[in-house]
Amino acid sequence: MADTIPLGQPLQARFSEQTSASVTSVPWTIWCVFAGIVSSVVGGLWDISWHMSIGRDTFWTPAHILIQLNGVLVGIACGYMILTTTFGGDAAQHDASVKIWGFRGPLGAFIATWGCVAMLTSAPFDNWWHNAYGLDVKIVSPPHTLLSLGSFAIKVGALALMAGLMNRAQPEVRRRVTWLYVFVGAVCVTQLGLILTVPTWPVNMHTARCYLAVALAIPAVLMGPAWGLAKRWACTLVAGTYTVILLAFQWILPLIPAEPKLGPVYHNIKHLIPLRFPLLLIVPAVILDLLWNRTEQWGRWKLAAVSGPAFVLSFLAVQWPFANFLMSPGARNWFFGMAYFAYFDPAGLLYDPYEFQIAEKTRGEFWITLIAALVVSVLTARLGLSWGDWMRRMRR
Amino acid sequence: MNKFQLRASTLAVFVILLVAALSLNAHVGSPDVYYEGDAGSYHLFVTVRQPQVIPGVAEIQIRCAKNEVRAIQIVPMRLSGAGSSYPPTPDLAEQSKEDPQFFTGSLWLMESGALQVRVSVEGTKGKGELSVPVPAAAQKTLKMERPLWGMLALLMIFLALGIVFIAGAAVREGNLGPGETPAPGRARRARVVMVIAAVVVAGILYLGRAWWIAEANNYQRNVNIFKPPAAETNLENGNRLVIRAKGQDAQWSKYVKMEEVIPDHGHLMHLFMIGAPGLDRMWHLHPGRIAGGAFGEELPSMPAGQYQIFADIVDKDGFPWTLVGNVEVAQVEGKSLAGDDSAWSGSAVAAQGGDSTVSQLADGGHMVWRRATDPLKASVPMSFKFSVEDKDGNPAKDMEPYMGMAGHAEFVSTDMSVFAHVHPAGSVSMAALELARTGQTGASGELQAGMPMPIPMSMPMSSAPLPPEVSFPYGFPRPGQYRIFVQIKRAGHIQTGVFDARVQ
């Protein structure tokens, strides 16, 4: 464990803990939850691409089936965990559980089940919303938010399940679960990154609001899982996995033929369109890891006060100039994907997609927004550290 | 900037925006589109039933005149400008097994505005194509039914309580070692966290509700924008009628400029003044544009009374709007009717309603509505056929084009909630039809007031008299009592036949 950051008493205790609940293999339920989350990220990114390229869908598109499979797999695994712990006779399982409404089970299973119910609730709500206000008039709507919240709760539950397992498991099992945990952490970052799509679209990367939006959403979901892992280069691992996921979709999706089935059509698309090149979160992640290697004993507020601004400023330092490149002809290729446009996007016809937008009217407004981003980043970094600490202590 | 343009820089993912602007249903209270025309060698009657909400699914019905069509493809597109170049993958309309001349299909209309449905036909005479302009607009907001409301409320309560108890369990037991029992202090802390969680959840639910209300209000604004604008009237000097348009939403005038409306079969505005109640008088006038985006008309002689106003205009993108208002007029001793202006007066619609199929014309001739004896039904596409006879009962031999067409028909419900100005080609705007053909916006100045209509209107273009029959594809939108004004031109005189119709 040379690469493990020395931590506070609760976490240190976990490694010497050899109780009746000690785990010697990765349970199938964890694999099932993991498969559900893989299914959700593949389905989610595919679905977005589907809407950008084809438009029309049904409940039974492959992407939708993968998204639904997420709920099914997680529901089966968590339901099994809760029911066998509640009604089964396994003392070890019982001892490593929490009690809610008379049921017993791992805390993460309850959180993920809550997420499944939230996703389930969003379905009839969303269906009614479409009938009342039209199909997906806006991506950020109350039913979509409930769906997203449920999906995120599943990931939080999965991380809690895995953290509890790692904190009770043998080193070999812990090592294997670590990679599953890193992937789920990266999917959390991906999900929040998708919600930020509009403010962080390349044309908006020279606005302070872009960095305020990133400061609001990303530090908590990047630092939380990474800090909870208590491992050197954890941030880099999480952000690197996020980058690999998006790049894989960036390069694979255009290989699949597709054409629009809804109008109006502004671009004569012949293949699936990927979302966009990933944000350069890998750079602030490396900075955070370097920082945390030297500040491990700091109080959490002090650590957050440094980590948040370090994240925002390092992200700003690389994303701002990188945006210049993204807007240049050199990025209009399959690698960077800046020549891809959704069929419904009148890019190049009604507006110039390579012209930066101005969101802040004055220089003062720009700097105030940027300062707000720094302040917000402290709070969201603190939130992430709290989440991470909670997972470090997770036993059940 | 074109009114339908999106703030495209903010487009990402599949953000399908309701277009900021807008247009409205053609006519008043009659959103469905009826069109009759030729796709190459095939004569078709196309009905487009608009969805209640946009984006939503429109139902398409196509009847072929002869059993010679093998397949029909349908696809929605922008009427003109950007977005009208590349069609999405077309849908194959389904051929009825019982009636091979009847095809149906569904199309997603993804935005409000001036759209078209392009119909491609393949049959024994090769291929053909036609475009039907569709003024797509959201019509209303659905209410949530009680069972669904109850189910969602229960699930929300479950979720709200669930997260509170999960938070409590996390604090009480989450980081206890296996087998350890929570100390009393933990239980207390858990209760405090549960109270805090409950407050946070209540706050989130409150904010969610406020968000929902804001979204609903925003959507309602879009519905309101599409509602018929008000025709604000002012009678200057007792005989000069000035009309100004005022949208149902304050944003309307940002997108529809009166200075940019385009001519529709030769006139910028078709004004119908209908005596109210009773519909016993009707004037079809053509005001000109005056300063400040208003329209003005020196009224012809007309008796004092209350008049309902319907004023048809077409905006620069080919979207038809009908301004609705009323005006009280004192006795007017005005100019004589001239040009394309016309008038009719007669008996009021009977209080108990009813049907009529023969109308006496001003020169002693008759117009006869050739209809089946079956009761008329709402939402049924029909071809309204009228034949014109001279005073001796012979088919009229002196029929002429009236504003470029064989006839004009106005379908008006007696409560004035439905008004449709229909032509032999159907309920579509002729200006929109031209835009569908050329893809050019009216702002180009291609069409100018007073110019003859450049498109064929189901009528021969030679100087020979028109046939003594005229037909109009249309369907009554809902049950009720209607009056139909059918206007034709014979030997230089515009004549109006009037028919009453009770619709079930």
Side-chain angles (χ1 to χ4, degrees), chain A residues 8-171:
Chain A
Q9 183 57 34
L11 188 64
Q12 285 184 332
R14 80 186 187 189
F15 297 130
S16 58
E17 191 176 78
Q18 294 295 327
T19 69
S20 60
S22 182
V23 180
T24 55
S25 64
V26 181
W28 71 267
T29 48
I30 295 293
W31 285 110
C32 195
V33 168
F34 179 73
I37 287 170
V38 172
S39 170
S40 81
V41 70
V42 173
L45 289 169
W46 190 355
D47 192 43
I48 289 168
S49 177
W50 187 287
H51 282 276
M52 293 173 71
S53 321
I54 298 171
R56 190 190 312 172
D57 60 1
T58 69
F59 186 82
W60 300 109
T61 62
H64 282 178
I65 289 172
L66 285 175
I67 293 171
Q68 307 304 333
L69 195 61
N70 170 36
V72 172
L73 291 174
V74 173
I76 288 172
C78 293
Y80 177 84
M81 280 188 266
I82 291 169
L83 292 176
T84 54
T85 308
T86 304
F87 302 110
D90 189 329
Q93 255 188 316
H94 187 275
D95 286 349
S97 66
V98 300
K99 186 177 179 184
I100 297 175
W101 294 343
F103 291 94
R104 296 207 71 97
L107 181 62
F110 281 107
I111 297 171
T113 302
W114 185 92
C116 290
V117 176
M119 286 181 74
L120 196 69
T121 306
S122 76
F125 188 16
D126 197 38
N127 190 48
W128 175 82
W129 193 271
H130 290 169
N131 290 335
Y133 307 122
L135 174 74
D136 292 337
V137 173
K138 291 179 180 174
I139 187 174
V140 184
S141 65
H144 284 183
T145 301
L146 183 61
L147 177 69
S148 186
L149 203 60
S151 174
F152 193 73
I154 286 177
K155 294 172 187 91
V156 170
L159 286 173
L161 268 176
M162 291 171 183
L165 183 68
M166 285 194 290
N167 293 346
R168 302 192 308 271
Q170 302 287 354

Side-chain angles (χ1 to χ4, degrees), chain A residues 17 19 21 48 51-52 56 95 97-101 104 107 110-111 114 117-118 121 124-125 128-142 145-146 168 197-198 201 203-204 259-268 275 344-346 349-351 357 390 393-396, chain B residues 5-18 53-55 76 78 82-83 85-89 91 107-108 110-111 140-145 148 151-152 155-156 158-163 165-166 169-170 172-181 208 211-212 215-216 218-219:
Chain A
E17 191 176 78
T19 69
I48 289 168
H51 282 276
M52 293 173 71
R56 190 190 312 172
D95 286 349
S97 66
V98 300
K99 186 177 179 184
I100 297 175
W101 294 343
R104 296 207 71 97
L107 181 62
F110 281 107
I111 297 171
W114 185 92
V117 176
T121 306
F125 188 16
W128 175 82
W129 193 271
H130 290 169
N131 290 335
Y133 307 122
L135 174 74
D136 292 337
V137 173
K138 291 179 180 174
I139 187 174
V140 184
S141 65
T145 301
L146 183 61
R168 302 192 308 271
T197 297
V198 171
W201 203 245
V203 293
N204 293 324
E259 54 186 16
K261 290 189 173 176
L262 292 177
V265 178
Y266 294 103
H267 299 281
N268 202 13
L275 186 55
F344 55 75
D345 184 351
L349 296 167
L350 302 183
Y351 77 104
Q357 298 296 306
W390 179 70
R393 292 193 296 267
M394 180 64 61
R395 307 292 178 78
R396 297 188 172 196
Chain B
Q5 289 175 4
L6 309 177
R7 183 60 177 168
S9 60
T10 60
L11 276 174
V13 205
F14 58 108
V15 188
I16 302 168
L17 295 172
L18 254 192
V53 296
I54 302 281
R78 279 268 178 90
S85 304
Y86 303 119
T89 307
D91 281 64
L107 287 178
W108 275 100
M110 294 306 293
E111 59 179 9
K140 66 177 185 182
T141 305
L142 298 182
K143 300 287 179 205
M144 188 178 281
E145 292 172 355
L148 179 62
M151 184 183 77
L152 288 178
L155 284 166
M156 282 297 177
F158 175 84
L159 288 171
L161 290 177
I163 202 69
F165 280 83
I166 286 172
R172 192 176 57 246
E173 301 172 84
N175 55 7
L176 281 181
E180 287 181 36
T181 310
W211 183 17
W212 186 345
E215 289 287 336
N218 189 39
Y219 183 82

Side-chain angles (χ1 to χ4, degrees), chain A residues 231-246:
Chain A
K231 193 175 174 69
R232 285 187 199 282
W233 304 109
C235 272
T236 307
L237 284 172
V238 172
T241 308
Y242 152 82
T243 307
V244 168
I245 291 170
L246 283 197

Side-chain angles (χ1 to χ4, degrees), chain B residues 481-501:
Chain B
Q481 182 68 39
Y482 290 78
R483 176 157 273 193
I484 308 169
F485 301 93
V486 181
Q487 300 193 288
I488 46 109
K489 195 169 183 181
R490 288 179 57 206
H493 298 287
I494 302 159
Q495 299 187 331
T496 304
V498 178
F499 305 89
D500 291 340

Side-chain angles (χ1 to χ4, degrees), chain B residues 199-217:
Chain B
V199 171
V200 170
V201 167
I204 290 171
L205 288 175
Y206 177 81
L207 290 175
R209 182 174 174 274
W211 183 17
W212 186 345
I213 291 170
E215 289 287 336
N217 289 341

